[in-house]
Structures are given as structure tokens and as C-alpha cells.
Amino acid sequence: MKGKILVLAAAAVFFWTGTALADVLENIKGKGYISCGVAGRVPGFSVPDEQGVWKGLDVDYCRALASAVFNDPEKVRFVPLTTTERFTAVQTGEVDVLSRNTTWTFQRDVEQGIDFAGIIFFDGQGFMVNKNLGVTSAKELNEASICIQIGTTTEMNVSDYFAAHGMTYKPVVFESADEATVIYDTGRCDVYTTDASGLAARRTTLSNPEDHVILPEIISKEPLGPSVRQGDPRWSKIARWTLFALINAEELGVNSQNVDEMLESANPNVKRLLGQEGNFGEQFGLTNAWAYQVIKHVGNYGEIFERNVGPATALKLERGQNDLWTRGGLLYAPPIR
């Protein structure tokens, strides 16, 4: 009987929480901004600059959401979250969206009470070492000490990779990526491992970035994507279609510089994207110009990529898998029709 009471109590708390947080879009409109959970100190993805202005690919996704809802990319408040805090922050409504280098996995999708909006960055786990070690392959890391951030998929990936190759390693675990990076930089572990984009970002923060090399092996699939609390289909669809709008805009050749000119396009796909045909915004509580607002303020996916992590930035990443499917990449968005 006691167990039954506890189950009912937990269900009541869940029901109350779900009810109190119902209709995220209306709550957001009422408070006047979107709460966006980010990593906070990952160059290229989410980090404040010297003036305190947030920059990065994950940051721009949240500004795209704010543009869709408010026609104002500045109506966002960024909340730095650790890996252990991030899912609870979404579940409890502390943040309206999590845009924080988070891998979409079965367990997270099914058990964490969140819905992934899609994949904003295709990544994979890699290894970084000091050039002085003379290592050129991950297969030469037997018995190495490895700095790992706890609560991430990297822990399991490393274990699987070393077991598969008959190697051993000494894990040196930390709560935050900042701690792991500092310890690696001081030489207290031989290797730092995380997503390859994260390695490129963290290398820019080391005392001598040019002394470190990212090894060629990519040992996992890391589809990174934003997520929202489960149980609000409308907000989930807004989060998903804002991402799709960024990708579709690039595929259709619509960007922040030509979006006004493209309002006169005869292409039906462009007309629907920009709200000149149909009522695709009104159907989920926004204006029909929601995607126009996103592109006008933030740009398309390609602009966001180039601005934050592309070859002209400190990360110097090529598009690779993050290019459009029409150019050999994996980016593919359903059509607006």
C-alpha cells in the first residue's frame, strides 16, 4: 500500500508540474522572453564576449526562436547549465529550450522527459593530445590517462573504444568541461576527449593551442540538437520547425541579405517559407511571417555555421557532414507545405 501511495503522490506531482507548465508558448509570450539553457563556455557554440554579448551556434538557434515568436532576436535570457543540471532544467521549466551541445540518444529521448527538435550539428567524439607525446593515432593511446567530463556520452564511448581495441586507460573525470580543460592544459592527463567540435573549441582556450593536435579517429556518432520539455506538442513543433526553417532557407537560397527581395519570388517553396502563401505560422500560434523574421534577424543555417564555427573563425571547421544533402552533407529538412 505504501508503494502505491508513493506512486500516486509522484503522479500527482508530475500532473501538477505538467499543468503548471502547460502551454509554453503562452508562458513565453506572457513573460516576454525565452529562457535558453546553454553550456556557457564553449567558443563557437555558446560563450559571452568581452562585452557580455552571447555568441555561438547554439545561441543563434535560441535567437532564431525569439525571432519566430517575438520578431526580436534579443528577447532571450541565456542560462548556463552543467551536464548534470541540463535535463532537470528542461523538465522543471527552468528553461524553455535546451540548446547545449547535447547528443540525441535513445535513453535521453525516451527516459528524460524531453523532446529533441532535430539535429543542429552532426558531430563525433575525438581525442586531443600534446604534440610532444608524438602520438598520431588513437590506437597508440594504450595506458594513457584521459580527461573526461562526467554525465556525458563520452564516458561510455571511451570505454567501448578501448575495450574493442584491447587497450586500457586511466580515466580522470570532472564535473565540468572547464575543469577538464584546465587539468589537461597543465599536463595532468595525457588526453582530452569530447566531441570533435568541442575539442576544436577547447583548443582555442589552451595556453598554447598550436602545441596540441586532434587525432584523426572519430569514435562515435554525436548528433547534437536542441530539446524542449515533453508534453507540449505546439512548443515542440515550433522548436523543430524553426530549425527546419534555417535549413530550408539555405537550400532555397534565402539569406539575411536577400530575404526582402525574395518576398517577390515566384517559387512556391519560397513563398510558403516566407509567409506569402498559406497560413503556416498561424497554425501553431505565430504570425505567418515567422520564418521571414528568423531569416531576417539571424540568417539561414549556412550563415550561422560560417559566423560561429566555419573556416574563417577560430574553430576553422569545414561544413563536412553539416552541409546540405544537395552538396553531399547530412542536413535535410522536411518541406513547408
Side-chain angles (χ1 to χ4, degrees):
M1 178 61 74
K2 183 178 179 181
K4 185 176 181 180
I5 292 173
L6 288 174
V7 169
L8 291 173
V13 170
F14 178 82
F15 176 77
W16 178 86
T17 304
T19 302
L21 297 173
D23 205 333
V24 175
L25 179 61
E26 292 307 316
N27 285 341
I28 287 171
K29 288 180 176 177
K31 65 184 179 181
Y33 63 89
I34 295 173
S35 299
C36 174
V38 295
R41 293 178 62 86
V42 183
F45 288 86
S46 62
V47 66
D49 65 13
E50 294 178 350
Q51 287 72 46
V53 179
W54 284 90
K55 305 281 188 181
L57 189 145
D58 291 339
V59 166
D60 278 350
Y61 170 74
C62 288
R63 290 209 166 99
L65 269 179
S67 299
V69 175
F70 295 111
N71 193 20
D72 186 345
E74 300 307 316
K75 290 194 173 181
V76 184
R77 293 186 184 178
F78 295 100
V79 182
L81 298 169
T82 68
T83 54
T84 53
E85 294 170 338
R86 55 184 167 178
F87 298 127
T88 301
V90 181
Q91 294 159 358
T92 61
E94 179 185 350
V95 296
D96 303 308
V97 59
L98 179 67
S99 185
R100 189 200 180 285
N101 308 82
T102 298
T103 302
W104 186 352
T105 69
F106 177 93
Q107 184 180 37
R108 289 170 177 174
D109 200 19
V110 174
E111 295 184 356
Q112 291 290 348
I114 61 174
D115 285 332
F116 282 87
I119 300 170
I120 198 169
F121 195 89
F122 291 90
D123 213 338
Q125 185 175 340
F127 299 97
M128 180 164 62
V129 298
N130 192 302
K131 291 179 180 177
N132 289 336
L133 292 179
V135 173
T136 59
S137 168
K139 295 177 183 176
E140 301 169 17
L141 296 178
N142 189 33
E143 299 184 351
S145 57
I146 303 180
C147 282
I148 305 172
Q149 186 181 6
I150 62 172
T152 64
T153 56
T154 60
E155 289 182 280
M156 291 182 287
N157 292 336
V158 169
S159 176
D160 290 348
Y161 181 80
F162 275 70
H165 290 82
M167 300 190 298
T168 62
Y169 67 100
K170 177 186 177 183
V172 185
V173 297
F174 296 92
E175 171 73 20
S176 73
D178 289 343
E179 293 176 283
T181 306
V182 169
I183 294 301
Y184 168 77
D185 199 21
T186 59
R188 289 173 55 189
C189 55
D190 302 317
V191 185
Y192 179 50
T193 184
T194 188
D195 296 344
S197 64
L199 293 177
R202 289 289 169 181
R203 183 165 58 177
T204 67
T205 68
L206 300 178
S207 52
N208 295 295
E210 65 279 5
D211 290 345
H212 303 267
V213 60
I214 297 172
L215 300 178
E217 287 86 356
I218 298 296
I219 67 168
S220 69
K221 293 187 293 185
E222 304 294 338
L224 309 182
S227 59
V228 297
R229 182 176 58 87
Q230 206 169 57
D232 189 330
R234 179 164 71 164
W235 181 237
S236 182
K237 291 181 190 301
I238 290 172
R240 181 177 306 122
W241 280 95
T242 295
L243 175 58
F244 290 159
L246 296 171
I247 299 170
N248 277 323
E250 183 178 14
E251 184 177 330
L252 293 169
V254 183
N255 58 49
S256 59
Q257 301 303 306
N258 68 9
V259 65
D260 288 315
E261 177 186 339
M262 295 296 274
L263 289 172
E264 306 301 323
S265 171
N267 184 334
N269 291 305
V270 174
K271 293 169 74 74
R272 288 191 288 269
L273 174 68
L274 299 182
Q276 299 299 295
E277 183 177 298
N279 64 337
F280 298 100
E282 293 174 354
Q283 292 185 47
F284 53 21
L286 303 180
T287 70
N288 290 331
W290 65 279
Y292 165 85
Q293 296 164 185
V294 168
I295 302 161
K296 180 70 175 179
H297 293 302
V298 183
N300 64 34
Y301 182 90
E303 290 178 277
I304 292 173
F305 185 98
E306 297 299 329
R307 180 166 63 236
N308 294 300
V309 300
T313 68
L315 272 66
K316 297 180 172 58
L317 299 181
E318 299 293 338
R319 286 294 293 269
Q321 294 178 322
N322 291 291
D323 210 339
L324 295 172
W325 67 284
T326 52
R327 296 195 292 252
L330 297 176
L331 283 184
Y332 188 104
I336 296 176
R337 61 165 61 247

